[in-house]
Amino acid sequence: MNPETRHDTGRPPHRMISPMLPSRGIPFSVAIVDDHMLLRVGVAAAFHRTTSMNLTATGASVSEALGHGQHIDVLLLDLRLADGSRPRENIAHLQEKSIDVVCYTSGESPPLIREAARAGAMGMLRKTEPMHVLLAATLAACHGEVAASIDWAAALDSDPTLLDARLSPRERDVLERYASGEGASDVAKALFISRETVLEHVQRIRRKYADVGRPARTKIHLYQRAIEDGVLSVD
């Protein structure tokens, strides 16, 4: 499912879901793109032990993985590939096919992490993370939820190209609660304002981000902007 077509669900975008507890009748389909065969084999073995996700394709490049012709919900993408492709190009190509992307990396290149985040990656993980963390992050992305990390937050925080949206204190309060997964009614109760006022604030927040070239059309995008601007932190 493409982030542009998702609807706000009120669920916390960063909530991790057990990889052994599928929440729908059929498993999600996932794929891996990494130019190190041994790593692909190891990750594939972990996916084969889950009941909520099926590994349907692997490859050393995006084109190789897509060449299998299988349906894919989420693709695990290495940021550095031997074919010289850029994260921005790969993510855009996958999003055109309604495939969401979780990136994983050794973490040595903040510019690549920022590039992937701006391109719309659903998450960012280190290759050294325990396998259960990788599985949970992938499943979270399958459910349309962001799987953030300390590396992602640090890379975005150091991005010199991000323009300030100049949110008011009240708008930051609304963004903090709304982007973390609270529904408009819950935000209204917490801040002692009406639901309509919350939605007006959200519209203004989106407009301000759009005005500085940082569109936030979905709740997932708002979550990413909140991380970028320090409104939310990654625990």
Side-chain angles (χ1 to χ4, degrees), residues 110 113-114 149-159 227 234:
I113 295 174
R114 289 195 291 266
S149 68
I150 297 297
D151 288 319
W152 195 1
L156 294 175
D157 187 55
S158 62
D159 188 350
I227 293 291
V234 180

Side-chain angles (χ1 to χ4, degrees), residues 170 173-175 177 186-194 198 201:
R170 174 59 86 185
D173 289 341
V174 170
L175 178 61
R177 292 180 175 276
D186 293 330
V187 176
K189 290 178 182 178
L191 298 180
F192 302 101
I193 56 179
S194 70
V198 170
H201 280 305

Side-chain angles (χ1 to χ4, degrees), residues 179-233:
S180 67
E182 293 184 22
S185 297
D186 293 330
V187 176
K189 290 178 182 178
L191 298 180
F192 302 101
I193 56 179
S194 70
R195 182 177 183 275
E196 290 70 26
T197 300
V198 170
L199 295 177
E200 289 174 2
H201 280 305
V202 171
Q203 288 179 347
R204 281 199 296 271
I205 291 168
R206 285 182 165 138
R207 187 162 55 247
K208 286 185 175 183
Y209 277 121
D211 288 344
V212 295
R214 301 166 62 193
R217 291 179 288 271
T218 69
K219 182 170 278 190
I220 288 173
H221 293 143
L222 285 173
Y223 178 78
Q224 292 172 336
R225 302 297 168 262
I227 293 291
E228 292 168 357
D229 289 348
V231 176
L232 290 175
S233 61

Side-chain angles (χ1 to χ4, degrees), residues 66-163:
L66 295 179
H68 294 285
Q70 299 294 317
H71 170 74
I72 301 171
D73 293 305
V74 170
L75 184 142
L76 270 171
L77 176 67
D78 186 4
L79 288 184
R80 288 186 182 275
L81 295 173
D83 65 0
S85 59
R86 301 285 303 185
R88 178 180 60 254
E89 301 162 356
N90 286 329
I91 293 171
H93 183 42
L94 291 164
Q95 287 179 339
E96 288 175 357
K97 298 181 178 298
S98 298
I99 299 172
D100 283 326
V101 180
V102 172
C103 296
Y104 67 131
T105 174
S106 53
E108 77 287 352
S109 180
L112 284 182
I113 295 174
R114 289 195 291 266
E115 180 179 325
R118 286 195 293 265
M122 294 290 292
M124 193 75 58
L125 299 168
R126 274 188 180 266
K127 292 184 177 181
T128 53
E129 293 280 10
M131 195 59 67
H132 73 272
V133 173
L134 185 146
L135 292 174
T138 306
L139 186 57
C142 287
H143 283 275
E145 301 173 357
V146 172
S149 68
I150 297 297
D151 288 319
W152 195 1
L156 294 175
D157 187 55
S158 62
D159 188 350
T161 67
L162 292 180
L163 297 178

